Amino acid sequence: GWDFEPGNWLVGGLTPSSAVDYAVLLLWNMGMWESAASCAGEVQNPSKTFPRALAAVLFLVVLNYALPIMAFTGVDDHYDKYVNGYYVKIAAQVGGKAFGSALALGQCISTIGLFSNSVVKNSYLLCGMGEQTLLPKLFSDRWSVTNAPIFSIAASSLVTVIMVMLDSFSVVLSIDMMLYSMVLMIEIAAFVKLRYSFPDLHRGYKIPITGPWIFVFFSPVIAFGVLLICTTSTQGILLVAFLILVGVMLFSGLWIYRQQSPTVFQQAPSEVPEILESPACSRLGTPAPSHQGSYRESAQHSSIRSGQGSAQGEYDTHWDASWDHPLYQGRDAITGL
């Protein structure tokens, strides 16, 4: 046997600076739940599947963090030594090298799963933007074997590789969490806007709250996000500002590129996303094409009526409809958030 002391769980405390670091790590480990919305279109009956899956995963995630922390700190209360790999060292000391190696293998598999989840979330966001003509249609290309968006996966993985080049994990973490907090603010704003502007819009699944309870529900998230942004280091803020500037430049470049080469963004009629063919489009003010037609045909008819029968005129109509369409101003209409 070995000495196990539950009293170790209550040893130590948080200073103001360490509390901020703890909050950032907590958000990094326990956040990203809304990323499941990126794959809502790949799930059958999300209105039932998503709540059940999220409830089960929340329970498992809490156990996944709580049980190891309680087990290892009960054996070793030297918290200043808890760095990457220290769990493996404790396991080897207590249960032998074989036990330590098994734990290390399990941690590697878990890390692969976390990385795969991040790649899936980001790649399907890029794929959806490609399908909606916000990015070149290359991003929406899918592999015929698995139907996975291969180019979007490659692009998402490349960003991760670039981030790895930063030596400091704390810098990477602060950048990631500050950008994530900003994204959450935008998503919440989109949620509120679309919930009030289009309350009757069909949603795959829907948060069952309305009225003032929406603001009560999101207040802790907003407060936590503002706190995280305000406590980010100067270096982190400068790097985030640089990344935002790069994003604005890329957006502007894409806009100009679309004007010069519209066919690079243009989807063939058979490739138009199903959501553009749905009755939701007509409820939001966009003509929903018939089953025999397509959104492309609807855009072409509009361009002809406006005296722009050229391919360029047809594409401009489609681009404007997709770019400014409320469906693409937030996730609410698509995912039911």
Side-chain angles (χ1 to χ4, degrees), residues 2-6 8-9 11 68-82 86-87 89-91 93-94:
W2 58 84
D3 294 332
F4 185 86
E5 181 56 56
N8 292 346
W9 300 339
V11 175
I69 290 175
M70 294 170 66
F72 286 103
T73 56
V75 175
D76 189 331
D77 63 349
H78 298 92
Y79 295 115
D80 56 326
K81 296 182 180 181
Y82 276 80
Y86 196 62
Y87 276 4
K89 183 177 180 180
I90 296 176
Q93 291 175 346
V94 172

Side-chain angles (χ1 to χ4, degrees), residues 22-34 57-66 177 180:
Y22 174 77
V24 173
L25 284 171
L26 185 65
L27 179 62
W28 183 62
N29 282 282
M30 301 293 289
M32 310 295 179
W33 290 89
E34 80 291 345
V57 170
L58 176 62
F59 177 73
L60 293 175
V61 166
V62 172
L63 286 182
N64 180 66
Y65 282 108
M177 290 299 96
Y180 177 57

Side-chain angles (χ1 to χ4, degrees), residues 4-236:
F4 185 86
E5 181 56 56
N8 292 346
W9 300 339
L10 305 177
V11 175
L14 292 175
T15 63
S17 59
S18 63
V20 173
D21 294 337
Y22 174 77
V24 173
L25 284 171
L26 185 65
L27 179 62
W28 183 62
N29 282 282
M30 301 293 289
M32 310 295 179
W33 290 89
E34 80 291 345
S35 63
S38 305
C39 304
E42 312 291 322
V43 178
Q44 292 184 351
N45 195 10
S47 61
K48 292 185 178 180
T49 304
F50 268 53
R52 295 174 181 175
L54 290 174
V57 170
L58 176 62
F59 177 73
L60 293 175
V61 166
V62 172
L63 286 182
N64 180 66
Y65 282 108
L67 293 181
I69 290 175
M70 294 170 66
F72 286 103
T73 56
V75 175
D76 189 331
D77 63 349
H78 298 92
Y79 295 115
D80 56 326
K81 296 182 180 181
Y82 276 80
V83 295
N84 287 335
Y86 196 62
Y87 276 4
V88 176
K89 183 177 180 180
I90 296 176
Q93 291 175 346
V94 172
K97 292 184 177 180
F99 183 52
S101 299
L103 179 62
L105 177 62
Q107 289 182 334
C108 290
I109 295 175
S110 175
T111 302
I112 292 172
L114 290 172
F115 176 74
S116 300
N117 171 71
S118 177
V119 170
V120 167
K121 176 195 69 172
N122 296 328
S123 62
Y124 273 94
L125 286 175
L126 295 175
C127 178
M129 293 174 70
E131 291 175 343
Q132 298 161 13
T133 70
L134 300 176
L135 289 176
K137 61 181 179 181
L138 178 64
F139 285 88
S140 64
D141 288 348
R142 294 174 180 256
W143 189 22
S144 59
V145 178
T146 62
N147 203 36
I150 52 175
F151 187 80
S152 292
I153 291 175
S156 176
S157 300
L158 178 61
V159 173
T160 302
V161 171
I162 294 174
M163 294 293 290
V164 169
M165 295 180 182
L166 294 174
D167 293 335
S168 175
F169 172 74
S170 61
V171 173
V172 174
L173 184 62
S174 63
I175 293 173
D176 187 20
M177 290 299 96
M178 185 173 180
L179 289 173
Y180 177 57
S181 298
M182 292 179 178
V183 169
L184 280 179
M185 302 295 182
I186 296 173
E187 290 175 352
I188 292 172
F191 171 92
V192 175
K193 168 65 177 176
L194 291 170
R195 178 61 70 88
Y196 281 92
S197 299
F198 305 97
D200 299 324
L201 180 67
H202 172 73
R203 292 157 166 82
Y205 63 98
K206 183 177 180 180
I207 296 178
I209 54 174
T210 57
W213 289 109
I214 292 177
F215 299 94
V216 174
F217 181 77
F218 284 117
S219 292
V221 179
I222 295 174
F224 192 84
V226 171
L227 174 64
L228 192 147
I229 293 173
C230 293
T231 54
T232 303
S233 65
T234 303
Q235 182 183 13

